[in-house]
Amino acid sequence: MSTGNADQKAFWETFATLWVDKQKDLDTLMEPVLAGVLDRAAMGTDQRVLDIGCGTGTSSLRAAVAVGVGGHVTGADISEPMLERARALAGNMSQLSFQTTDVAEHPFVPASYDQVISRFGVMFFADPVAAFANVLKAMRLGARLTMACWSQLDKNPWFQVPMYAAKDRLGAPPAVDPDAPGPLAFRNTQRVMRILEDAGFTDINAETETLLLTPIGDLNRVATHAASIGPAARAVEYFEATAQDFEAIVARVAAEFTDYATPEGVRIPAAINYFTAAAPDH
């Protein structure tokens, strides 16, 4: 495993407990995003599918239902604790399996998959061109790739509001390369399209869709969730924030999110980059 991806494995092992504990909240929050991936992929029965960065497995489960018992879905993730939850949720589905691996370097059997999907699982590669080239080797001629990534920060209050709340309370942590592995690394559609082209993909398309995230709970629960992940969590960890600091950040986020309260619950606007591409057909 490369040094960069080893760093990602360490990161996800550290935060795995948080993500497992919040599995229901995260899946509900991101349901509209996953629906966008599945709609674009339009998987057929009997297909073989690779799900990159499947986390606790909801995307893989949904894909497994789509392909039926004659197909198969492999959910791949770098975090074993998250895959333990995925396996528990999957039960005994014969057409679904999970693999703890780094897809950037995994020795795939060539031409194994008809489809590759990902919901927020591809923005963490140390060398994205090499990673996607490796994935491409696993795809059959003409196989399709469909993936969702966060768009620009200023279009995603789910990240922006907690980040500024933490910055105002704690200060700014050291700057990082905005294109370094992280949740917003694939915000620039033109950059990602170049990455996919350099990796060998064809028929590459990008679309930015504005939708509403659907978190569970009242403003305080939603604000606590938002402040616990992403840039705000990085600041809280870096500055070793106190419980009082965190409570102040959550209160600020809840106040900012008031504008998003609806009779159906808190609905956070988001901009999502959807990418589709194909393996060459010859």
Side-chain angles (χ1 to χ4, degrees):
M1 180 179 293
S2 66
T3 301
N5 284 350
D7 290 343
Q8 286 299 312
K9 181 173 178 59
F11 172 85
W12 286 111
E13 294 296 344
T14 298
F15 282 91
T17 299
L18 173 66
W19 283 72
V20 169
D21 288 346
K22 292 184 176 293
Q23 173 257 319
K24 183 178 180 181
D25 287 66
L26 285 163
D27 284 339
T28 305
L29 171 80
M30 297 177 184
E31 169 57 29
V33 180
L34 178 56
V37 172
L38 298 176
D39 287 347
R40 288 167 174 81
M43 285 171 279
T45 55
D46 301 340
Q47 287 192 323
R48 297 185 64 82
V49 179
L50 173 65
D51 183 9
I52 299 175
C54 67
T56 53
T58 294
S59 52
S60 300
L61 281 162
R62 295 276 291 277
V65 172
V67 302
V69 295
H72 190 270
V73 176
T74 301
D77 202 278
I78 205 168
S79 171
E80 176 59 25
M82 283 197 277
L83 290 181
E84 289 178 2
R85 170 60 63 87
R87 293 184 184 103
L89 293 174
N92 296 318
M93 291 187 75
S94 62
Q95 71 267 38
L96 177 58
S97 62
F98 294 99
Q99 190 162 26
T100 309
T101 190
D102 179 359
V103 300
E105 299 177 346
H106 184 79
F108 289 108
V109 175
S112 296
Y113 296 105
D114 303 294
Q115 294 249 19
V116 176
I117 63 170
S118 181
R119 180 197 66 179
F120 298 145
V122 295
M123 303 93 71
F124 306 95
F125 297 131
D127 184 341
V129 172
F132 280 111
N134 191 54
V135 170
L136 182 59
K137 296 175 185 176
M139 299 172 67
R140 294 174 176 167
L141 297 179
R144 302 292 301 179
L145 167 70
T146 308
M147 59 192 196
C149 308
W150 296 103
S151 188
Q152 302 288 342
L153 176 66
D154 62 1
K155 297 179 180 179
N156 281 295
W158 178 255
F159 286 122
Q160 187 182 42
V161 170
M163 185 184 78
Y164 283 123
K167 181 179 179 181
D168 288 347
R169 177 74 181 190
L170 305 171
V176 297
D177 179 355
D179 292 334
L184 297 171
F186 279 12
R187 70 200 178 282
N188 184 319
T189 57
Q190 293 302 311
R191 173 176 177 258
V192 178
M193 292 176 75
R194 287 194 300 271
I195 288 170
L196 293 173
E197 182 178 11
D198 291 345
F201 283 88
T202 62
D203 192 20
I204 302 164
N205 293 282
E207 174 188 8
T208 302
E209 180 179 343
T210 301
L211 47 76
L212 294 176
L213 303 177
T214 53
I216 297 173
D218 59 15
L219 282 166
N220 187 70
R221 177 171 175 173
V222 173
T224 301
H225 184 185
S228 300
I229 60 177
R234 176 173 173 257
V236 166
E237 180 185 29
Y238 178 80
F239 288 108
E240 299 180 347
T242 65
Q244 185 177 12
D245 290 327
F246 185 73
E247 289 172 4
I249 293 167
V250 169
R252 168 76 177 274
V253 174
E256 295 283 344
F257 279 0
T258 301
D259 291 342
Y260 305 135
T262 77
E264 292 74 38
V266 183
R267 296 293 179 260
I268 311 293
I272 307 299
N273 293 336
Y274 288 98
F275 300 95
T276 58
D281 58 7
H282 61 276

